[in-house]
Amino acid sequence: MRNLVLLYILTLSFTLFAKVNPHEVEAFITKTAEQHQLDADEIRRILNHAEHQQSIIDAMNKPAEKVLEWYQYRPIFITDKRIQEGVEFWQNNADVLHKVSNQSQVPVPIIVAIIGVETFYGRIKGNHKVLDALYTLAFDYPKRSVFFSKELGHFFKLAADGHVDALTAKGSYAGAMGYGQFMPSSYRSYAVDYESDGVIDLLDNPHDAIASVANYLARHGWQKDQPVVAKASKPKSKTKLNQLKPHLKDKKGREYTLIGLKTDEDNMAYWQGFHNFYVISRYNHSHMYVMAVYQLAERIQSEYNAANASTQNEAQQ
């Protein structure tokens, strides 16, 4: 019996280890070293610290956007606490937010709301080691292994350039990092060194994060003073709902997509999503995510204005 138990343990250990093919890892090392001009031995040394995490695979298979309806999803993000802390984040970083907004043309409330939805203004950035997350998904998540292999390569380049610590950086189960939850490729493409100190720190520097979120949206085509959504009536025909890219036209000639979301088990509400709706969706390809960002931004704007008006009234008394 003891021998059978030992055999079972050994078999289980081998099965867990075998989830990552060492030949694929070695091929990745060679390719990444050549592509990003990195030291292959250094990549290998760091990868020796990576651990496969089954919980990451499980999380990837059950994202909230795919298992929740809008009336279940919305209360996660549109809360009094998240609104109030959004106002406080705005107040604490007002100079940077307004300067960045003026340069990028992206409204302050949208920048704040994205950071609020992503990480509760930097409080919840993720507890997974980014190295473990990307290693697991690159070598044990076949349907997106190509994507995550590339992200792992970008992560090594970020580390080599001194922007992150490959062994200690933490983020989401998908490998997104910092206040705005940037994937490594987005980090390298859109992140901004606000202080011009030579290091782009999205994990601990809110100013770099603010500038980077705004730059991401600006580079994806944000249109100044244009709407994100507008309320709509129930469609008379069988219009396909919740496509992200605008493909219909309203009476003003504006392109939009029709969004339909369940407000409870029996009822639906509808919105027109315009070009800026699509721009926000480039950050997260979910119509519910965009609506959460938009509605949180609206509430933060309202509360921020009220707080400012109250302060001005007190000063005049």
Side-chain angles (χ1 to χ4, degrees), residues 30 32 56 65 148 180-181 206-207 212 224 259 284 293 304:
T30 300
T32 300
I56 290 170
E65 290 87 349
F148 284 108
Q181 293 291 275
H207 297 171
S212 299
K224 181 183 178 182
I259 306 301
N284 182 315
V293 166
Y304 181 84

Side-chain angles (χ1 to χ4, degrees), residues 185-212:
S185 60
S186 293
Y187 203 131
R188 293 192 63 218
S189 297
Y190 303 106
V192 174
D193 180 7
Y194 182 81
E195 275 95 3
S196 300
D197 59 3
V199 176
I200 306 175
D201 180 8
L202 302 189
L203 280 69
D204 298 308
N205 186 332
H207 297 171
D208 282 0
I210 288 166
S212 299

Side-chain angles (χ1 to χ4, degrees), residues 30-47:
T30 300
K31 182 177 180 180
T32 300
E34 292 177 355
Q35 183 176 1
H36 296 292
Q37 297 182 326
L38 302 176
D39 187 318
D41 288 337
E42 178 63 7
I43 297 173
R44 192 175 291 107
R45 182 189 71 80
I46 294 172
L47 280 176

Side-chain angles (χ1 to χ4, degrees), residues 69-79 288 292 295 299:
E69 295 288 355
W70 172 242
Y71 65 88
Q72 300 165 315
Y73 183 86
R74 184 182 185 278
I76 297 173
F77 302 106
I78 315 299
T79 66
M288 289 197 296
Q295 292 191 3
R299 294 292 302 277

Side-chain angles (χ1 to χ4, degrees), residues 89-151:
F89 183 83
W90 188 341
Q91 292 169 334
N92 292 337
N93 299 279
D95 290 344
V96 175
L97 280 162
H98 289 287
K99 181 179 178 180
V100 166
S101 179
N102 287 335
Q103 291 175 342
S104 66
Q105 305 302 314
V106 179
V108 169
I110 294 293
I111 301 170
V112 174
I114 284 181
I115 294 174
V117 168
E118 292 291 344
T119 61
F120 221 126
Y121 315 104
R123 285 203 294 109
I124 307 173
K125 301 173 191 170
N127 293 317
H128 294 281
K129 283 190 175 182
V130 175
L131 178 63
D132 291 350
L134 296 176
Y135 172 81
T136 299
L137 294 170
F139 302 115
D140 188 31
Y141 196 60
K143 62 183 178 181
R144 297 194 68 191
S145 62
V146 173
F147 170 79
F148 284 108
S149 293
K150 290 180 180 178
E151 293 298 328

